[in-house]
Amino acid sequence: MKNIKIILSAAILLLGLSSCEDYFEDINNDPNNPLVVTPNVILPQIETRLAYAYAGEGSLYTGVYTQHLDGLTRQFAVYQNYGIQPVDVNSLISDNMYSGVLMDNRQMLRFTEENGDFHYTGIGKAIEAYAMLFVTDLVGDLPYTEAFNGTENLQPIYDSQESIYDVVFSLLDEAETLLSGDAGVRTPSSDDFFYGGDAASWLKFVNSLRARAYIHLAKVDAANYQNALNALSAGAFESSADDARLPFTTASTGSAPMYQYIEQRDDAEVGTNYVALLESLNDPRVATYGAPMDVPGHPIFVRDRQTPLMTYTEMKFIEAEALLQTGSDPMTAYLEAIRSSFEEAGVDGYEDYVAQASVADATLENIMTQKYIALFMQAETFNDWRRTGIPELTPNSGTQVPRRLPYPQTEYDLNANVPSPAEVTIFSRVWWDK
């Protein structure tokens, strides 16, 4: 763990740096002395930046939409009333996800594919699938087939969200093949913050991400409920020990994203409607998830939080929903999901809680409500709300709750192919949100 924390601190120091070498790769390079970034050096930065994006701005913006969060002052008072603008997501989408995670990951993949580092390549494919799924669910159509080419193409076309989903499943298939075989020349270890290079754990990640992606597409085709179950049964997370979590540190340069946000900004608070829901169900998790957002002292938003990107709890809720929708009994999976959530929250009272009439039945309303409670400040709840309409949300302002983030201002400034803001607004539905 000591080695992981040392590497993690170094990776976090790099978070503010854009991958300029990808865009201007020939300007400062001496062809007689090429610079090579090996996968053990770049993978920590990729994983750390991904965790920052997902658990930072990604969860903050969607948290306002799902009412996990109430914006109170400054920028978040504007977001509370759905005033988010394209410039507000430059950092999240253009800088952290595209210029950061995805471009750096492509750099790593070029190296590992050329040098026969098969497990590194498998991890890179899984990360690209996760990242593309995360971003397309936020905004819809995205550059992909013509993206990641630096100065060779500064105006890539936008691929349809439907085709992006095809890419996600294809990447996961490739990752599974690579991770099921020999490691190759180099073997990832402590530089992999999620699983320490353990291929079996990454294979569980691949199947779990498949299940997440399939459940998103249930509105497109109900057969995807069974597809999600098939992915889970093929070898997904079996306990919370399998969770995809990035361990941040107690160092000032290594703090978890929500800790840094509260410490530095603190212009939002836990949602009043969310707390009211917990209280209406006599939910002991209100002591954890409903706690005031103060640091130090918050129960979960601590400096060295093991920040979740995908969890066993989520998988059990997916299983419960898919079983219900395919005519099978969801009760065991439903109760296990709640039990796992109680364990994550560090609270007692599970038996009394699930015995209540308002919780006891595994209806769709209860499954999705409990998932909404359990996945506090995780962007996945925004996808669930759009899919199911649960929980029922009253708009903070106007007559609609937004159904996507805007495209970044950098795209409007630099890429003529970006969908017009007159045609695609934050209230427009993405492809799978039928």
Side-chain angles (χ1 to χ4, degrees):
M1 178 62 82
K2 182 178 180 182
N3 289 338
I4 289 178
K5 289 187 175 181
I6 291 172
I7 299 171
L8 176 59
S9 295
I12 292 171
L13 287 172
L14 296 173
L15 279 176
L17 303 177
S18 298
S19 301
C20 296
E21 65 270 20
D22 291 306
Y23 293 99
F24 305 105
E25 56 188 4
D26 297 323
I27 294 177
N28 295 317
N29 289 355
D30 180 353
N32 297 316
N33 296 285
L35 298 174
V36 175
V37 181
T38 53
N40 64 300
V41 173
I42 197 168
L43 180 60
Q45 178 182 336
I46 294 167
E47 292 182 341
T48 303
R49 194 183 287 267
L50 177 60
Y52 255 90
Y54 180 82
E57 289 180 313
S59 294
L60 285 163
Y61 295 151
T62 58
V64 171
Y65 286 179
T66 62
Q67 299 178 8
H68 275 167
L69 199 69
D70 286 343
L72 301 180
T73 61
R74 297 186 294 274
Q75 282 180 301
F76 270 81
V78 177
Y79 303 156
Q80 178 73 6
N81 292 308
Y82 310 142
I84 192 168
Q85 298 297 317
V87 69
D88 296 318
V89 299
N90 281 349
S91 175
L92 171 61
I93 298 175
S94 295
D95 299 340
N96 280 318
M97 292 307 302
Y98 265 82
S99 296
V101 173
L102 287 161
M103 287 290 282
D104 287 350
N105 194 58
R106 281 298 181 92
Q107 181 179 344
M108 183 183 77
L109 286 172
R110 282 195 293 271
F111 182 95
T112 60
E113 289 172 337
E114 289 174 3
N115 290 278
D117 302 326
F118 304 126
H119 282 190
Y120 272 112
T121 302
I123 291 171
K125 299 277 189 180
I127 287 174
E128 185 167 310
Y130 185 101
M132 290 305 300
L133 185 67
F134 171 49
V135 182
T136 193
D137 288 335
L138 290 177
V139 297
D141 299 349
L142 288 174
Y144 185 79
T145 54
E146 294 185 0
F148 317 119
N149 292 313
T151 54
E152 293 180 13
N153 187 353
L154 295 176
Q155 295 197 24
I157 62 168
Y158 272 65
D159 298 287
S160 70
Q161 184 175 60
E162 182 175 8
S163 69
I164 296 296
Y165 263 80
D166 290 340
V167 165
V168 167
F169 290 121
S170 178
L171 286 166
L172 291 175
D173 289 344
E174 294 171 24
E176 181 176 28
T177 298
L178 289 159
L179 290 163
S180 298
D182 293 336
V185 177
R186 294 171 180 81
T187 302
S189 58
S190 61
D191 53 308
D192 169 20
F193 293 153
F194 290 130
Y195 297 119
D198 183 65
S201 295
W202 274 105
L203 286 169
K204 291 179 182 180
F205 177 95
V206 165
N207 280 312
S208 297
L209 189 58
R210 276 199 187 104
R212 175 189 278 188
Y214 277 127
I215 208 73
H216 291 178
L217 300 184
K219 290 178 74 171
V220 176
D221 185 348
N224 286 308
Y225 288 119
Q226 185 60 52
N227 289 334
L229 290 172
N230 293 343
L232 293 172
S233 64
F237 295 162
E238 298 176 87
S239 75
S240 59
D242 296 325
D243 290 356
R245 293 177 180 269
L246 193 134
F248 287 89
T249 76
T250 56
S252 59
T253 57
S255 301
M258 279 301 297
Y259 187 97
Q260 289 201 22
Y261 164 74
I262 298 168
E263 182 182 49
Q264 298 169 12
R265 294 289 304 276
D266 196 24
D267 47 4
E269 189 52 83
V270 60
T272 54
N273 290 338
Y274 176 71
V275 172
L277 173 62
L278 290 165
E279 291 176 340
S280 72
L281 295 172
N282 302 308
D283 198 317
R285 290 170 292 184
V286 71
T288 300
Y289 300 143
M293 287 188 174
D294 300 323
V295 296
H298 194 278
I300 57 170
F301 296 137
V302 295
R303 280 192 185 275
D304 58 348
R305 187 186 188 199
Q306 299 246 341
T307 303
L309 277 78
M310 193 164 59
T311 65
Y312 170 71
T313 300
E314 179 190 338
M315 293 306 111
K316 297 310 290 186
F317 277 118
I318 290 174
E319 182 182 355
E321 179 190 355
L323 286 169
L324 177 70
Q325 298 288 20
T326 54
S328 298
D329 184 3
M331 198 65 188
T332 300
Y334 170 65
L335 292 176
E336 173 61 8
I338 299 174
R339 187 210 60 77
S340 178
S341 173
F342 267 58
E343 185 176 273
E344 286 180 5
V347 299
D348 298 322
Y350 162 76
E351 296 290 346
D352 291 338
Y353 181 74
V354 297
Q356 298 179 108
S358 57
V359 178
D361 293 331
T363 62
L364 181 62
E365 179 80 24
N366 285 350
I367 291 169
M368 301 313 300
T369 297
Q370 289 299 320
K371 188 179 180 186
Y372 169 75
I373 291 172
L375 271 59
F376 174 59
M377 287 302 295
Q378 295 185 43
E380 191 60 20
T381 58
F382 182 46
N383 299 323
D384 289 336
W385 172 76
R386 287 181 289 175
R387 290 192 304 106
T388 67
I390 302 170
E392 184 176 347
L393 301 175
T394 300
N396 298 333
S397 177
T399 60
Q400 302 179 71
V401 176
R403 304 188 80 90
R404 68 168 79 194
L405 292 182
Y407 285 107
Q409 185 61 46
T410 50
E411 283 296 281
Y412 290 120
D413 292 341
L414 301 172
N415 190 349
N417 295 309
V418 64
S420 165
E423 298 176 0
V424 176
T425 74
I426 61 173
F427 301 104
S428 303
R429 292 172 182 258
V430 298
W431 161 72
W432 56 253
D433 183 16
K434 301 295 185 179

Short mmCIF file of all heavy atoms in Angstrom, two decimals, residues 13 47 81 90 100 134 161 189 213 220 228 235 245 248 287 289-290 304 310 332 346-347 367 396 405 426:
data_model
loop_
_atom_site.label_atom_id
_atom_site.label_comp_id
_atom_site.label_asym_id
_atom_site.label_seq_id
_atom_site.Cartn_x
_atom_site.Cartn_y
_atom_site.Cartn_z
N LEU A 13 -0.43 14.91 -8.69
CA LEU A 13 0.29 16.13 -9.02
C LEU A 13 0.22 16.43 -10.51
O LEU A 13 0.36 17.58 -10.93
CB LEU A 13 1.75 16.00 -8.59
CG LEU A 13 2.02 16.08 -7.08
CD1 LEU A 13 3.48 15.75 -6.80
CD2 LEU A 13 1.68 17.47 -6.55
N GLU A 47 -5.87 6.33 -14.30
CA GLU A 47 -6.87 5.87 -13.33
C GLU A 47 -7.24 6.97 -12.34
O GLU A 47 -8.42 7.12 -11.99
CB GLU A 47 -6.33 4.64 -12.60
CG GLU A 47 -6.19 3.42 -13.49
CD GLU A 47 -5.71 2.18 -12.75
OE1 GLU A 47 -5.14 2.32 -11.65
OE2 GLU A 47 -5.92 1.07 -13.28
N ASN A 81 -30.57 25.91 -10.43
CA ASN A 81 -31.68 26.37 -11.27
C ASN A 81 -31.46 26.03 -12.74
O ASN A 81 -32.04 26.65 -13.62
CB ASN A 81 -31.88 27.88 -11.09
CG ASN A 81 -32.38 28.22 -9.70
OD1 ASN A 81 -33.38 27.65 -9.24
ND2 ASN A 81 -31.70 29.12 -9.01
N ASN A 90 -16.17 22.24 -19.68
CA ASN A 90 -14.89 22.13 -20.38
C ASN A 90 -13.92 21.24 -19.60
O ASN A 90 -13.26 20.37 -20.16
CB ASN A 90 -14.25 23.51 -20.57
CG ASN A 90 -14.84 24.29 -21.72
OD1 ASN A 90 -15.59 23.75 -22.53
ND2 ASN A 90 -14.49 25.56 -21.81
N GLY A 100 -7.31 14.19 -21.15
CA GLY A 100 -6.66 13.48 -20.06
C GLY A 100 -6.79 11.98 -20.19
O GLY A 100 -5.92 11.30 -20.74
N PHE A 134 -19.30 6.45 -19.76
CA PHE A 134 -19.56 7.55 -18.83
C PHE A 134 -19.88 8.84 -19.57
O PHE A 134 -20.89 9.51 -19.29
CB PHE A 134 -18.34 7.73 -17.93
CG PHE A 134 -18.36 8.94 -17.05
CD1 PHE A 134 -19.48 9.25 -16.27
CD2 PHE A 134 -17.26 9.78 -16.97
CE1 PHE A 134 -19.49 10.37 -15.44
CE2 PHE A 134 -17.25 10.89 -16.16
CZ PHE A 134 -18.37 11.19 -15.39
N GLN A 161 -24.70 7.87 -30.50
CA GLN A 161 -24.59 7.17 -29.23
C GLN A 161 -24.80 5.66 -29.42
O GLN A 161 -24.14 4.86 -28.75
CB GLN A 161 -25.61 7.71 -28.23
CG GLN A 161 -25.45 7.06 -26.86
CD GLN A 161 -26.37 7.66 -25.81
OE1 GLN A 161 -27.59 7.62 -25.97
NE2 GLN A 161 -25.80 8.21 -24.75
N SER A 189 1.21 -4.11 -11.70
CA SER A 189 1.17 -4.48 -10.28
C SER A 189 0.70 -3.29 -9.47
O SER A 189 -0.45 -2.87 -9.62
CB SER A 189 2.54 -4.99 -9.81
OG SER A 189 3.55 -4.01 -10.03
N ALA A 213 -23.96 -1.43 -18.79
CA ALA A 213 -24.29 -0.93 -20.12
C ALA A 213 -25.59 -1.53 -20.64
O ALA A 213 -26.42 -0.84 -21.24
CB ALA A 213 -23.14 -1.22 -21.09
N VAL A 220 -34.44 0.64 -24.85
CA VAL A 220 -34.30 0.41 -26.29
C VAL A 220 -34.85 -0.96 -26.66
O VAL A 220 -35.54 -1.13 -27.67
CB VAL A 220 -32.82 0.53 -26.71
CG1 VAL A 220 -32.64 0.20 -28.19
CG2 VAL A 220 -32.30 1.94 -26.40
N ALA A 228 -28.19 -8.31 -19.32
CA ALA A 228 -27.54 -7.87 -18.09
C ALA A 228 -27.36 -9.04 -17.13
O ALA A 228 -26.30 -9.19 -16.50
CB ALA A 228 -28.35 -6.76 -17.43
N GLY A 235 -19.62 -13.81 -14.49
CA GLY A 235 -18.49 -13.57 -13.59
C GLY A 235 -18.29 -12.11 -13.26
O GLY A 235 -17.23 -11.54 -13.55
N ARG A 245 -12.60 0.73 -6.85
CA ARG A 245 -12.41 1.91 -6.00
C ARG A 245 -10.97 2.39 -6.12
O ARG A 245 -10.05 1.57 -6.15
CB ARG A 245 -12.72 1.59 -4.54
CG ARG A 245 -14.18 1.27 -4.26
CD ARG A 245 -14.40 0.89 -2.80
NE ARG A 245 -15.79 0.59 -2.53
CZ ARG A 245 -16.69 1.49 -2.12
NH1 ARG A 245 -16.30 2.75 -1.90
NH2 ARG A 245 -17.95 1.14 -1.90
N PHE A 248 -7.54 7.19 -2.46
CA PHE A 248 -6.83 8.45 -2.32
C PHE A 248 -6.04 8.44 -1.01
O PHE A 248 -6.06 7.45 -0.27
CB PHE A 248 -7.81 9.61 -2.43
CG PHE A 248 -8.31 9.81 -3.84
CD1 PHE A 248 -9.43 9.13 -4.30
CD2 PHE A 248 -7.63 10.63 -4.72
CE1 PHE A 248 -9.87 9.28 -5.61
CE2 PHE A 248 -8.05 10.79 -6.03
CZ PHE A 248 -9.19 10.12 -6.47
N ALA A 287 -27.66 9.07 8.79
CA ALA A 287 -26.53 9.53 9.60
C ALA A 287 -25.25 9.63 8.78
O ALA A 287 -24.35 10.41 9.11
CB ALA A 287 -26.31 8.57 10.77
N TYR A 289 -25.23 9.35 4.81
CA TYR A 289 -25.45 10.05 3.55
C TYR A 289 -26.18 11.39 3.74
O TYR A 289 -26.10 12.25 2.85
CB TYR A 289 -26.23 9.15 2.59
CG TYR A 289 -25.53 7.86 2.26
CD1 TYR A 289 -26.23 6.68 2.10
CD2 TYR A 289 -24.14 7.83 2.12
CE1 TYR A 289 -25.58 5.49 1.79
CE2 TYR A 289 -23.48 6.65 1.82
CZ TYR A 289 -24.20 5.48 1.66
OH TYR A 289 -23.56 4.31 1.37
N GLY A 290 -26.85 11.56 4.84
CA GLY A 290 -27.54 12.82 5.10
C GLY A 290 -26.76 13.78 5.95
O GLY A 290 -27.25 14.86 6.30
N ASP A 304 -8.84 10.34 2.44
CA ASP A 304 -8.32 9.12 1.81
C ASP A 304 -9.44 8.15 1.46
O ASP A 304 -9.27 6.93 1.56
CB ASP A 304 -7.29 8.45 2.72
CG ASP A 304 -7.85 8.10 4.09
OD1 ASP A 304 -8.95 8.58 4.43
OD2 ASP A 304 -7.18 7.36 4.83
N MET A 310 -17.57 1.75 -9.46
CA MET A 310 -18.57 0.71 -9.75
C MET A 310 -18.49 -0.29 -8.60
O MET A 310 -17.40 -0.65 -8.17
CB MET A 310 -18.29 0.04 -11.09
CG MET A 310 -19.40 -0.82 -11.63
SD MET A 310 -19.18 -1.19 -13.40
CE MET A 310 -17.59 -2.01 -13.42
N THR A 332 -34.08 -11.99 -3.23
CA THR A 332 -32.77 -12.27 -2.65
C THR A 332 -31.75 -11.21 -3.06
O THR A 332 -30.99 -10.69 -2.23
CB THR A 332 -32.27 -13.66 -3.06
OG1 THR A 332 -33.19 -14.65 -2.59
CG2 THR A 332 -30.89 -13.95 -2.47
N GLY A 346 -21.84 1.93 6.89
CA GLY A 346 -21.37 1.75 8.26
C GLY A 346 -22.44 1.93 9.30
O GLY A 346 -22.17 2.47 10.39
N VAL A 347 -23.67 1.49 9.00
CA VAL A 347 -24.78 1.65 9.95
C VAL A 347 -25.40 0.30 10.27
O VAL A 347 -25.30 -0.66 9.50
CB VAL A 347 -25.86 2.60 9.39
CG1 VAL A 347 -25.27 4.00 9.15
CG2 VAL A 347 -26.47 2.06 8.10
N ILE A 367 -37.07 -1.13 -5.60
CA ILE A 367 -35.72 -1.44 -6.06
C ILE A 367 -34.99 -0.18 -6.49
O ILE A 367 -33.85 0.07 -6.07
CB ILE A 367 -35.76 -2.47 -7.21
CG1 ILE A 367 -36.23 -3.83 -6.71
CG2 ILE A 367 -34.38 -2.59 -7.88
CD1 ILE A 367 -36.54 -4.82 -7.82
N ASN A 396 -36.31 21.81 -9.86
CA ASN A 396 -35.89 22.91 -9.00
C ASN A 396 -36.32 24.25 -9.57
O ASN A 396 -36.55 25.21 -8.83
CB ASN A 396 -34.36 22.92 -8.86
CG ASN A 396 -33.82 21.67 -8.21
OD1 ASN A 396 -34.51 21.03 -7.43
ND2 ASN A 396 -32.59 21.31 -8.55
N LEU A 405 -26.00 16.73 -19.86
CA LEU A 405 -25.14 17.90 -19.71
C LEU A 405 -24.97 18.56 -21.07
O LEU A 405 -25.16 17.92 -22.11
CB LEU A 405 -23.77 17.50 -19.17
CG LEU A 405 -23.70 16.99 -17.73
CD1 LEU A 405 -22.25 16.69 -17.36
CD2 LEU A 405 -24.29 17.99 -16.74
N ILE A 426 -30.00 20.85 -22.74
CA ILE A 426 -29.88 19.98 -21.57
C ILE A 426 -31.18 19.24 -21.28
O ILE A 426 -31.18 18.30 -20.47
CB ILE A 426 -29.41 20.75 -20.33
CG1 ILE A 426 -30.40 21.85 -19.95
CG2 ILE A 426 -28.01 21.31 -20.53
CD1 ILE A 426 -30.07 22.54 -18.62
#
